[in-house]
Amino acid sequence: MDQPATKLIRGGRVVAPDGVRRADVLISGESIAAVGDVDLPPGAEVIDATGKFVLPGAVDVHTHLDMEVGVTRSADDFTTGTQAAACGGTTTVVDFATAYRGESPAQGLANWHAKADGRAVVDYSFHMSITELTVPADDVVAEMEAAGVTSFKLYMTYPERLMVPDEVISEMLAAAGRAGSLVCLHCEDDATVARLRAEALSAGHTGPRWHAWSRPPSAEADAVQRAIRMAEEAEAPCYVVHLSGAPALEQVRMARDRGLPFFAETCPQYLYLSAELYEGVPARAANYICAPPLRDPWHAEELWEGLQRGQLQVVATDHCPFDSASRRAGLAGGGWRDFTQIPGGLPGIETRLSLIYQKVVEGRLTPGQWVDLCCAAPARLFGLHPRKGEIAPGADADVVVFDPDFERQLVVENLHMNVDYSPYEEFVVRGWPELVLARGEVVATRGEPRGRPGWGRYVGRAPSGRPG
Ligand SMILES: [Zn+2]
Protein backbone atom coordinates (compact mmCIF):
# COMPACT_ATOMS: atom_id res chain seq x y z
CA MET A 1 0.00 0.00 0.00
CA ASP A 2 1.52 3.35 -0.98
CA GLN A 3 2.08 5.74 1.86
CA PRO A 4 0.58 9.24 1.79
CA ALA A 5 3.19 11.85 0.99
CA THR A 6 4.36 14.68 3.19
CA LYS A 7 1.71 17.38 3.41
CA LEU A 8 1.80 20.89 4.82
CA ILE A 9 -1.52 22.45 5.80
CA ARG A 10 -0.70 26.12 5.74
CA GLY A 11 -2.28 29.26 7.14
CA GLY A 12 -5.27 27.75 8.94
CA ARG A 13 -6.66 28.37 12.40
CA VAL A 14 -6.00 25.28 14.51
CA VAL A 15 -8.75 24.60 17.04
CA ALA A 16 -8.17 22.93 20.40
CA PRO A 17 -10.38 22.88 23.51
CA ASP A 18 -8.38 25.76 25.00
CA GLY A 19 -8.67 27.98 21.95
CA VAL A 20 -7.79 28.82 18.39
CA ARG A 21 -4.36 29.71 17.06
CA ARG A 22 -2.88 30.32 13.64
CA ALA A 23 -0.51 27.44 12.85
CA ASP A 24 0.74 25.22 10.05
CA VAL A 25 0.37 21.48 10.38
CA LEU A 26 3.02 19.21 8.90
CA ILE A 27 2.00 15.66 8.14
CA SER A 28 4.52 12.96 7.48
CA GLY A 29 3.06 9.63 6.42
CA GLU A 30 0.29 8.69 8.83
CA SER A 31 1.24 11.08 11.65
CA ILE A 32 1.40 14.75 12.50
CA ALA A 33 5.06 15.74 12.49
CA ALA A 34 4.94 19.40 13.56
CA VAL A 35 2.51 22.18 14.46
CA GLY A 36 3.44 25.86 14.39
CA ASP A 37 5.53 27.89 11.98
CA VAL A 38 6.80 25.18 9.69
CA ASP A 39 9.21 25.59 6.76
CA LEU A 40 8.04 23.88 3.63
CA PRO A 41 9.96 20.63 3.28
CA PRO A 42 11.09 19.77 -0.25
CA GLY A 43 8.53 17.72 -2.15
CA ALA A 44 5.71 18.36 0.32
CA GLU A 45 2.20 18.87 -0.93
CA VAL A 46 0.82 22.24 0.22
CA ILE A 47 -2.77 22.53 1.35
CA ASP A 48 -3.89 26.13 1.69
CA ALA A 49 -6.11 26.51 4.73
CA THR A 50 -6.30 30.32 4.75
CA GLY A 51 -9.62 31.36 6.27
CA LYS A 52 -10.36 27.78 7.38
CA PHE A 53 -10.42 25.99 10.71
CA VAL A 54 -8.10 23.03 11.14
CA LEU A 55 -9.42 20.49 13.63
CA PRO A 56 -8.64 17.02 14.84
CA GLY A 57 -10.78 14.45 13.04
CA ALA A 58 -14.03 14.09 14.94
CA VAL A 59 -14.59 11.04 17.15
CA ASP A 60 -18.05 9.45 17.29
CA VAL A 61 -18.28 7.15 20.29
CA HIS A 62 -21.83 5.96 19.67
CA THR A 63 -22.59 4.12 16.42
CA HIS A 64 -24.47 0.96 15.48
CA LEU A 65 -23.15 -0.20 12.11
CA ASP A 66 -24.37 -3.42 10.52
CA MET A 67 -26.37 -4.38 13.62
CA GLU A 68 -29.11 -7.00 13.55
CA VAL A 69 -32.47 -5.60 14.72
CA GLY A 70 -35.45 -7.94 14.40
CA VAL A 71 -35.59 -9.26 10.83
CA THR A 72 -33.65 -6.28 9.55
CA ARG A 73 -30.29 -4.65 10.28
CA SER A 74 -29.05 -1.08 10.57
CA ALA A 75 -28.74 0.18 7.01
CA ASP A 76 -25.10 1.30 7.09
CA ASP A 77 -22.33 -1.26 7.18
CA PHE A 78 -18.71 -0.44 8.02
CA THR A 79 -18.06 0.79 4.48
CA THR A 80 -21.08 3.03 3.86
CA GLY A 81 -21.18 4.17 7.49
CA THR A 82 -17.54 5.17 7.73
CA GLN A 83 -17.66 6.73 4.27
CA ALA A 84 -20.52 8.96 5.41
CA ALA A 85 -18.66 9.65 8.66
CA ALA A 86 -15.62 10.80 6.68
CA CYS A 87 -17.72 13.13 4.50
CA GLY A 88 -18.89 14.87 7.68
CA GLY A 89 -15.45 15.09 9.30
CA THR A 90 -15.54 12.05 11.59
CA THR A 91 -12.39 9.94 11.38
CA THR A 92 -12.86 7.54 14.30
CA VAL A 93 -15.98 5.64 15.28
CA VAL A 94 -16.45 3.52 18.38
CA ASP A 95 -19.19 1.01 17.60
CA PHE A 96 -21.12 -1.19 20.00
CA ALA A 97 -20.03 -4.79 19.60
CA THR A 98 -22.63 -6.91 21.32
CA ALA A 99 -22.52 -10.27 23.07
CA TYR A 100 -26.12 -11.47 22.90
CA ARG A 101 -27.37 -13.96 25.47
CA GLY A 102 -25.66 -17.28 24.94
CA GLU A 103 -22.59 -15.64 23.39
CA SER A 104 -19.36 -14.89 25.24
CA PRO A 105 -17.94 -11.37 25.00
CA ALA A 106 -15.06 -12.84 22.96
CA GLN A 107 -17.57 -14.24 20.45
CA GLY A 108 -19.46 -10.95 20.32
CA LEU A 109 -16.21 -9.11 19.69
CA ALA A 110 -15.16 -11.59 16.98
CA ASN A 111 -18.52 -11.10 15.26
CA TRP A 112 -17.99 -7.34 15.14
CA HIS A 113 -14.41 -7.66 13.93
CA ALA A 114 -15.74 -9.80 11.09
CA LYS A 115 -18.24 -7.08 10.13
CA ALA A 116 -15.55 -4.39 10.07
CA ASP A 117 -12.44 -6.21 8.83
CA GLY A 118 -11.21 -4.74 5.56
CA ARG A 119 -14.34 -2.61 5.13
CA ALA A 120 -13.86 0.62 7.05
CA VAL A 121 -12.67 3.85 5.45
CA VAL A 122 -11.65 5.46 8.76
CA ASP A 123 -10.33 3.98 12.01
CA TYR A 124 -12.72 2.23 14.36
CA SER A 125 -12.84 0.77 17.81
CA PHE A 126 -15.38 -1.17 19.86
CA HIS A 127 -17.26 -0.95 23.11
CA MET A 128 -18.61 -4.26 24.37
CA SER A 129 -22.33 -4.59 25.13
CA ILE A 130 -22.94 -7.26 27.74
CA THR A 131 -26.40 -8.85 27.99
CA GLU A 132 -25.65 -11.37 30.74
CA LEU A 133 -22.85 -12.28 33.11
CA THR A 134 -21.89 -15.96 33.12
CA VAL A 135 -18.32 -15.55 34.42
CA PRO A 136 -16.96 -13.13 37.04
CA ALA A 137 -17.12 -9.49 35.91
CA ASP A 138 -13.39 -9.05 36.58
CA ASP A 139 -12.63 -11.78 34.04
CA VAL A 140 -14.80 -10.14 31.38
CA VAL A 141 -13.15 -6.78 31.94
CA ALA A 142 -9.62 -8.26 31.87
CA GLU A 143 -10.29 -10.28 28.72
CA MET A 144 -11.73 -7.26 26.89
CA GLU A 145 -8.98 -4.93 28.09
CA ALA A 146 -6.41 -7.31 26.59
CA ALA A 147 -8.32 -6.99 23.30
CA GLY A 148 -8.24 -3.17 23.43
CA VAL A 149 -11.84 -2.79 24.62
CA THR A 150 -11.97 -0.54 27.69
CA SER A 151 -15.64 0.37 27.81
CA PHE A 152 -18.85 -1.56 28.25
CA LYS A 153 -22.47 -0.86 27.48
CA LEU A 154 -25.32 -2.09 29.62
CA TYR A 155 -29.02 -1.57 29.01
CA MET A 156 -31.60 -0.77 31.69
CA THR A 157 -34.42 -1.47 29.19
CA TYR A 158 -35.17 -3.75 26.19
CA PRO A 159 -35.95 -6.80 28.36
CA GLU A 160 -36.38 -9.15 25.37
CA ARG A 161 -32.80 -9.03 24.22
CA LEU A 162 -30.51 -6.59 25.97
CA MET A 163 -31.52 -5.55 29.49
CA VAL A 164 -29.48 -6.68 32.48
CA PRO A 165 -30.56 -6.58 36.13
CA ASP A 166 -29.10 -3.96 38.47
CA GLU A 167 -26.84 -6.59 40.13
CA VAL A 168 -25.03 -7.04 36.82
CA ILE A 169 -24.67 -3.29 36.43
CA SER A 170 -23.23 -2.99 39.94
CA GLU A 171 -20.78 -5.85 39.41
CA MET A 172 -19.65 -4.47 36.06
CA LEU A 173 -19.27 -0.96 37.47
CA ALA A 174 -17.04 -2.23 40.26
CA ALA A 175 -14.92 -4.46 38.02
CA ALA A 176 -14.56 -1.82 35.30
CA GLY A 177 -13.75 0.85 37.88
CA ARG A 178 -10.93 -1.29 39.34
CA ALA A 179 -9.45 -1.90 35.90
CA GLY A 180 -9.68 1.58 34.39
CA SER A 181 -12.58 0.74 32.10
CA LEU A 182 -15.82 2.66 31.76
CA VAL A 183 -19.41 1.42 31.98
CA CYS A 184 -21.83 3.19 29.62
CA LEU A 185 -25.51 2.93 30.41
CA HIS A 186 -28.71 3.21 28.39
CA CYS A 187 -30.87 4.79 31.08
CA GLU A 188 -34.63 4.31 30.89
CA ASP A 189 -36.54 2.76 33.76
CA ASP A 190 -37.98 -0.37 32.23
CA ALA A 191 -40.74 -0.90 34.79
CA THR A 192 -42.19 2.50 33.84
CA VAL A 193 -41.80 1.87 30.13
CA ALA A 194 -43.41 -1.58 30.34
CA ARG A 195 -46.37 -0.25 32.33
CA LEU A 196 -47.01 2.70 30.00
CA ARG A 197 -46.64 0.58 26.87
CA ALA A 198 -49.21 -1.89 28.17
CA GLU A 199 -51.51 0.96 29.11
CA ALA A 200 -51.26 2.57 25.67
CA LEU A 201 -51.78 -0.68 23.80
CA SER A 202 -54.73 -1.79 25.91
CA ALA A 203 -56.39 1.55 25.15
CA GLY A 204 -55.86 0.92 21.43
CA HIS A 205 -53.19 3.61 21.03
CA THR A 206 -50.88 2.23 18.36
CA GLY A 207 -49.36 5.23 16.52
CA PRO A 208 -45.80 6.57 16.80
CA ARG A 209 -46.74 9.34 19.23
CA TRP A 210 -47.42 6.70 21.88
CA HIS A 211 -43.83 5.56 21.61
CA ALA A 212 -42.77 8.90 23.07
CA TRP A 213 -45.61 8.91 25.57
CA SER A 214 -44.56 5.51 26.92
CA ARG A 215 -40.90 6.54 27.41
CA PRO A 216 -41.23 9.82 29.37
CA PRO A 217 -38.36 12.04 30.57
CA SER A 218 -39.12 10.92 34.14
CA ALA A 219 -38.32 7.28 33.23
CA GLU A 220 -34.92 8.41 31.96
CA ALA A 221 -34.27 10.54 35.05
CA ASP A 222 -35.23 7.67 37.40
CA ALA A 223 -32.78 5.37 35.67
CA VAL A 224 -30.01 7.97 35.75
CA GLN A 225 -30.59 8.46 39.46
CA ARG A 226 -30.27 4.69 40.01
CA ALA A 227 -27.13 4.66 37.89
CA ILE A 228 -25.58 7.42 39.98
CA ARG A 229 -26.32 5.51 43.19
CA MET A 230 -24.81 2.30 41.82
CA ALA A 231 -21.73 4.05 40.46
CA GLU A 232 -21.18 5.85 43.74
CA GLU A 233 -21.46 2.61 45.71
CA ALA A 234 -19.01 0.96 43.31
CA GLU A 235 -16.70 3.99 43.51
CA ALA A 236 -16.52 3.82 39.73
CA PRO A 237 -16.90 6.27 36.87
CA CYS A 238 -20.00 5.94 34.74
CA TYR A 239 -21.18 7.39 31.43
CA VAL A 240 -24.77 7.88 30.31
CA VAL A 241 -25.33 7.45 26.58
CA HIS A 242 -27.81 9.55 24.59
CA LEU A 243 -29.13 11.71 27.42
CA SER A 244 -32.31 13.29 26.08
CA GLY A 245 -34.25 15.13 28.77
CA ALA A 246 -33.91 17.97 31.24
CA PRO A 247 -34.78 15.91 34.36
CA ALA A 248 -31.99 13.41 33.58
CA LEU A 249 -29.58 16.29 33.01
CA GLU A 250 -30.52 17.66 36.40
CA GLN A 251 -29.48 14.34 37.99
CA VAL A 252 -26.13 14.41 36.17
CA ARG A 253 -25.56 18.01 37.23
CA MET A 254 -26.16 17.17 40.89
CA ALA A 255 -23.86 14.14 40.76
CA ARG A 256 -21.07 16.18 39.19
CA ASP A 257 -21.59 18.98 41.69
CA ARG A 258 -20.86 16.38 44.36
CA GLY A 259 -17.58 15.62 42.60
CA LEU A 260 -18.55 12.20 41.23
CA PRO A 261 -16.87 11.00 38.01
CA PHE A 262 -20.20 10.83 36.24
CA PHE A 263 -20.32 11.67 32.51
CA ALA A 264 -23.00 12.02 29.88
CA GLU A 265 -23.37 12.46 26.15
CA THR A 266 -26.25 13.83 24.15
CA CYS A 267 -26.94 13.59 20.42
CA PRO A 268 -27.93 16.08 17.69
CA GLN A 269 -31.44 14.63 17.38
CA TYR A 270 -32.20 15.67 20.98
CA LEU A 271 -30.79 19.12 20.33
CA TYR A 272 -32.48 19.87 17.00
CA LEU A 273 -35.57 17.67 16.62
CA SER A 274 -38.64 17.40 18.81
CA ALA A 275 -41.57 15.16 19.64
CA GLU A 276 -43.81 17.18 17.33
CA LEU A 277 -42.43 14.96 14.56
CA TYR A 278 -44.43 12.05 16.03
CA GLU A 279 -47.71 13.87 15.36
CA GLY A 280 -47.61 13.67 11.55
CA VAL A 281 -48.82 10.85 9.31
CA PRO A 282 -47.74 7.58 10.96
CA ALA A 283 -45.60 6.34 8.04
CA ARG A 284 -43.50 9.52 8.22
CA ALA A 285 -43.57 9.80 11.99
CA ALA A 286 -42.20 6.25 12.17
CA ASN A 287 -38.96 7.51 10.62
CA TYR A 288 -38.24 9.42 13.84
CA ILE A 289 -38.68 6.54 16.27
CA CYS A 290 -35.66 6.23 18.56
CA ALA A 291 -35.10 5.50 22.24
CA PRO A 292 -35.05 7.61 24.27
CA PRO A 293 -37.61 9.35 22.07
CA LEU A 294 -37.47 12.94 20.83
CA ARG A 295 -38.66 15.36 23.51
CA ASP A 296 -40.63 18.57 23.69
CA PRO A 297 -38.53 21.54 22.49
CA TRP A 298 -37.81 23.03 25.93
CA HIS A 299 -35.62 20.04 26.82
CA ALA A 300 -33.24 20.93 23.97
CA GLU A 301 -32.78 24.39 25.41
CA GLU A 302 -31.63 22.82 28.69
CA LEU A 303 -29.32 20.41 26.89
CA TRP A 304 -27.61 23.26 25.02
CA GLU A 305 -27.06 24.98 28.33
CA GLY A 306 -25.64 21.73 29.74
CA LEU A 307 -23.18 21.56 26.85
CA GLN A 308 -22.21 25.19 27.26
CA ARG A 309 -21.52 24.74 30.97
CA GLY A 310 -19.66 21.44 30.65
CA GLN A 311 -22.36 19.45 32.43
CA LEU A 312 -22.61 17.24 29.35
CA GLN A 313 -19.19 16.23 28.07
CA VAL A 314 -19.75 14.65 24.66
CA VAL A 315 -21.95 14.89 21.58
CA ALA A 316 -22.19 11.52 19.81
CA THR A 317 -24.72 10.32 17.25
CA ASP A 318 -26.32 6.97 18.20
CA HIS A 319 -26.23 6.45 14.42
CA CYS A 320 -28.58 3.53 13.76
CA PRO A 321 -30.30 4.11 10.41
CA PHE A 322 -33.24 2.31 8.83
CA ASP A 323 -34.79 3.25 5.53
CA SER A 324 -38.50 3.92 5.25
CA ALA A 325 -39.26 0.46 3.86
CA SER A 326 -37.67 -1.40 6.80
CA ARG A 327 -39.50 0.94 9.17
CA ARG A 328 -42.78 0.09 7.47
CA ALA A 329 -41.97 -3.62 7.51
CA GLY A 330 -41.50 -3.55 11.29
CA LEU A 331 -39.28 -5.68 13.52
CA ALA A 332 -40.93 -8.95 12.48
CA GLY A 333 -41.45 -8.04 8.81
CA GLY A 334 -44.85 -7.85 7.12
CA GLY A 335 -45.74 -4.40 8.53
CA TRP A 336 -45.94 -2.94 12.03
CA ARG A 337 -49.24 -3.03 13.90
CA ASP A 338 -48.19 -0.78 16.75
CA PHE A 339 -45.35 1.50 17.83
CA THR A 340 -43.53 -1.26 19.73
CA GLN A 341 -42.77 -3.03 16.43
CA ILE A 342 -41.05 -0.17 14.62
CA PRO A 343 -37.24 -0.46 14.42
CA GLY A 344 -35.74 2.47 16.35
CA GLY A 345 -32.76 4.68 15.57
CA LEU A 346 -31.80 7.66 13.44
CA PRO A 347 -29.13 8.37 10.83
CA GLY A 348 -26.61 10.99 11.99
CA ILE A 349 -23.00 9.85 11.55
CA GLU A 350 -22.42 12.40 8.76
CA THR A 351 -24.10 15.53 10.10
CA ARG A 352 -22.96 15.87 13.74
CA LEU A 353 -19.88 18.08 13.40
CA SER A 354 -21.58 20.68 11.24
CA LEU A 355 -24.84 20.65 13.21
CA ILE A 356 -23.00 21.42 16.43
CA TYR A 357 -20.93 24.08 14.64
CA GLN A 358 -24.15 26.03 14.05
CA LYS A 359 -24.00 27.07 17.71
CA VAL A 360 -20.51 28.48 17.09
CA VAL A 361 -22.02 30.51 14.25
CA GLU A 362 -24.67 31.73 16.68
CA GLY A 363 -22.03 32.57 19.28
CA ARG A 364 -23.44 30.14 21.80
CA LEU A 365 -20.47 27.75 21.84
CA THR A 366 -16.82 28.71 21.36
CA PRO A 367 -14.84 26.92 18.65
CA GLY A 368 -12.90 25.27 21.48
CA GLN A 369 -16.07 23.91 23.07
CA TRP A 370 -17.24 22.59 19.72
CA VAL A 371 -14.00 20.70 19.16
CA ASP A 372 -13.97 19.45 22.73
CA LEU A 373 -17.51 18.03 22.50
CA CYS A 374 -17.07 16.37 19.10
CA CYS A 375 -13.38 15.43 19.01
CA ALA A 376 -11.22 15.89 22.09
CA ALA A 377 -13.42 14.90 25.04
CA PRO A 378 -14.64 11.62 23.49
CA ALA A 379 -11.02 10.72 22.64
CA ARG A 380 -9.82 11.46 26.18
CA LEU A 381 -12.70 9.73 27.96
CA PHE A 382 -12.48 6.58 25.86
CA GLY A 383 -8.72 6.05 25.88
CA LEU A 384 -8.02 7.21 22.31
CA HIS A 385 -5.93 10.22 23.29
CA PRO A 386 -3.13 11.15 22.40
CA ARG A 387 -3.48 9.28 19.08
CA LYS A 388 -6.87 10.83 18.35
CA GLY A 389 -8.69 14.04 19.27
CA GLU A 390 -5.82 16.52 19.13
CA ILE A 391 -3.69 18.29 16.52
CA ALA A 392 -0.27 17.64 18.03
CA PRO A 393 3.06 16.14 16.97
CA GLY A 394 2.96 12.36 17.19
CA ALA A 395 -0.82 12.11 16.88
CA ASP A 396 -2.41 10.27 13.97
CA ALA A 397 -2.84 12.62 11.01
CA ASP A 398 -6.64 12.67 11.34
CA VAL A 399 -7.26 16.25 10.29
CA VAL A 400 -10.29 18.23 9.13
CA VAL A 401 -9.93 21.44 7.14
CA PHE A 402 -13.27 23.03 7.92
CA ASP A 403 -14.65 25.77 5.68
CA PRO A 404 -16.83 28.06 7.80
CA ASP A 405 -18.54 29.48 4.71
CA PHE A 406 -19.44 26.23 2.96
CA GLU A 407 -23.24 26.00 3.01
CA ARG A 408 -25.00 22.73 2.64
CA GLN A 409 -28.64 21.73 2.79
CA LEU A 410 -29.01 18.48 4.69
CA VAL A 411 -31.20 16.79 2.09
CA VAL A 412 -30.67 13.14 1.31
CA GLU A 413 -29.11 13.94 -2.11
CA ASN A 414 -26.24 15.77 -0.38
CA LEU A 415 -25.58 13.01 2.16
CA HIS A 416 -24.05 9.54 1.99
CA MET A 417 -25.70 7.52 4.72
CA ASN A 418 -27.46 4.48 3.28
CA VAL A 419 -31.00 5.72 3.92
CA ASP A 420 -33.74 7.26 1.80
CA TYR A 421 -34.50 10.21 4.04
CA SER A 422 -32.72 12.84 6.11
CA PRO A 423 -34.11 13.85 9.51
CA TYR A 424 -32.73 17.34 8.88
CA GLU A 425 -33.87 17.98 5.31
CA GLU A 426 -35.13 21.51 6.07
CA PHE A 427 -31.76 22.50 7.55
CA VAL A 428 -29.21 24.57 5.67
CA VAL A 429 -25.99 24.50 7.67
CA ARG A 430 -23.14 26.97 7.38
CA GLY A 431 -19.74 25.31 7.68
CA TRP A 432 -18.69 21.90 6.40
CA PRO A 433 -15.43 19.95 6.11
CA GLU A 434 -13.61 20.87 2.92
CA LEU A 435 -10.91 18.24 3.31
CA VAL A 436 -10.74 15.25 5.63
CA LEU A 437 -7.58 13.23 6.23
CA ALA A 438 -7.52 9.90 8.04
CA ARG A 439 -3.98 8.86 9.04
CA GLY A 440 -2.71 11.18 6.35
CA GLU A 441 -4.87 9.87 3.54
CA VAL A 442 -7.62 11.93 1.91
CA VAL A 443 -10.97 10.32 2.75
CA ALA A 444 -13.33 13.16 1.77
CA THR A 445 -13.24 16.45 -0.12
CA ARG A 446 -16.03 19.02 -0.01
CA GLY A 447 -18.42 16.49 1.47
CA GLU A 448 -17.80 13.79 -1.12
CA PRO A 449 -16.21 10.42 -0.32
CA ARG A 450 -12.62 9.83 -1.46
CA GLY A 451 -11.54 7.07 0.90
CA ARG A 452 -11.14 3.39 0.27
CA PRO A 453 -12.54 0.49 2.24
CA GLY A 454 -9.83 -1.22 4.25
CA TRP A 455 -7.82 1.94 4.97
CA GLY A 456 -9.52 2.21 8.36
CA ARG A 457 -7.89 0.10 11.06
CA TYR A 458 -9.00 -1.29 14.36
CA VAL A 459 -7.76 0.85 17.26
CA GLY A 460 -7.23 -0.82 20.62
CA ARG A 461 -7.80 1.59 23.46
CA ALA A 462 -6.01 2.59 26.67
CA PRO A 463 -7.92 2.93 29.98
CA SER A 464 -11.26 4.78 29.78
CA GLY A 465 -13.21 6.92 32.19
CA ARG A 466 -10.53 9.51 32.90
CA PRO A 467 -11.56 12.97 31.80
CA GLY A 468 -8.05 14.50 31.87
ZN1 LIG B 1 -27.32 3.37 20.75
Side-chain angles (χ1 to χ4, degrees), residues 349-367:
I349 203 167
E350 190 171 5
T351 45
R352 173 184 61 133
L353 188 63
S354 181
L355 280 171
I356 302 308
Y357 178 71
Q358 301 316 297
K359 295 294 159 172
V360 179
V361 175
E362 288 172 26
R364 183 141 192 202
L365 294 176
T366 66

Side-chain angles (χ1 to χ4, degrees), residues 32 38 49 56 60 73 77 83 99 142 151 166 183 188 251 259 296 301 312-313 328 372 379 387 410 429 456:
I32 295 173
V38 180
D60 189 347
R73 58 204 307 123
D77 63 16
Q83 206 124 41
S151 50
D166 281 4
V183 168
E188 288 184 289
Q251 294 296 330
D296 290 335
E301 199 40 47
L312 294 166
Q313 292 71 50
R328 277 196 301 275
D372 198 40
R387 277 182 69 183
L410 302 184
V429 289

Side-chain angles (χ1 to χ4, degrees), residues 51-379:
K52 314 278 161 61
F53 288 120
V54 178
L55 1 155
V59 177
D60 189 347
V61 292
H62 193 151
T63 67
H64 298 281
L65 299 174
D66 205 2
M67 185 177 71
E68 306 81 357
V69 179
V71 296
T72 183
R73 58 204 307 123
S74 56
D76 272 313
D77 63 16
F78 276 81
T79 296
T80 62
T82 56
Q83 206 124 41
C87 291
T90 290
T91 54
T92 308
V93 300
V94 188
D95 201 77
F96 288 97
T98 303
Y100 295 104
R101 289 169 197 151
E103 288 176 345
S104 69
Q107 283 166 329
L109 185 60
N111 291 343
W112 252 261
H113 272 298
K115 292 172 200 259
D117 247 359
R119 293 200 178 89
V121 171
V122 301
D123 286 354
Y124 59 93
S125 190
F126 296 121
H127 310 280
M128 173 50 61
S129 296
I130 300 281
T131 55
E132 63 183 354
L133 210 44
T134 55
V135 297
D138 287 310
D139 295 355
V140 173
V141 172
E143 184 184 25
M144 287 298 110
E145 190 185 21
V149 176
T150 57
S151 50
F152 296 87
K153 163 96 167 276
L154 302 170
Y155 291 84
M156 296 169 91
T157 186
Y158 300 129
E160 310 77 21
R161 253 195 129 192
L162 298 169
M163 185 169 86
V164 292
D166 281 4
E167 301 81 72
V168 169
I169 297 176
S170 289
E171 284 172 42
M172 283 299 295
L173 277 165
R178 281 190 287 271
S181 286
L182 181 60
V183 168
C184 307
L185 292 176
H186 177 134
C187 291
E188 288 184 289
D189 179 57
D190 192 66
T192 306
V193 172
R195 176 171 56 78
L196 293 177
R197 277 183 156 205
E199 205 175 300
L201 292 177
S202 70
H205 300 317
T206 56
R209 69 184 301 263
W210 298 95
H211 167 77
W213 181 83
S214 64
R215 312 186 85 94
S218 58
E220 182 184 45
D222 284 355
V224 168
Q225 192 174 17
R226 239 163 69 217
I228 292 165
R229 178 178 51 72
M230 288 189 280
E232 191 172 14
E233 281 167 10
E235 297 178 38
C238 183
Y239 178 96
V240 175
V241 296
H242 52 45
L243 188 135
S244 66
L249 173 59
E250 180 58 24
Q251 294 296 330
V252 172
R253 192 184 288 142
M254 290 192 300
R256 292 179 61 83
D257 283 349
R258 289 197 287 126
L260 298 177
F262 203 85
F263 309 101
E265 75 181 17
T266 189
C267 312
Q269 55 270 34
Y270 303 116
L271 295 163
Y272 282 105
L273 305 177
S274 79
E276 287 154 25
L277 289 160
Y278 298 128
E279 303 295 337
V281 285
R284 189 176 147 77
N287 280 349
Y288 295 92
I289 294 283
C290 55
L294 304 177
R295 304 300 190 189
D296 290 335
W298 69 272
H299 291 271
E301 199 40 47
E302 297 278 321
L303 297 180
W304 281 118
E305 196 162 314
L307 292 171
Q308 227 176 344
R309 297 182 174 196
Q311 295 154 346
L312 294 166
Q313 292 71 50
V314 171
V315 177
T317 63
D318 198 6
H319 178 73
C320 188
F322 299 97
D323 61 21
S324 309
S326 355
R327 299 269 195 185
R328 277 196 301 275
L331 290 170
W336 56 266
R337 288 179 305 283
D338 67 64
F339 62 89
T340 66
Q341 298 165 358
I342 304 169
L346 294 183
I349 203 167
E350 190 171 5
T351 45
R352 173 184 61 133
L353 188 63
S354 181
L355 280 171
I356 302 308
Y357 178 71
Q358 301 316 297
K359 295 294 159 172
V360 179
V361 175
E362 288 172 26
R364 183 141 192 202
L365 294 176
T366 66
Q369 285 176 311
W370 167 53
V371 161
D372 198 40
L373 292 166
C374 295
C375 317

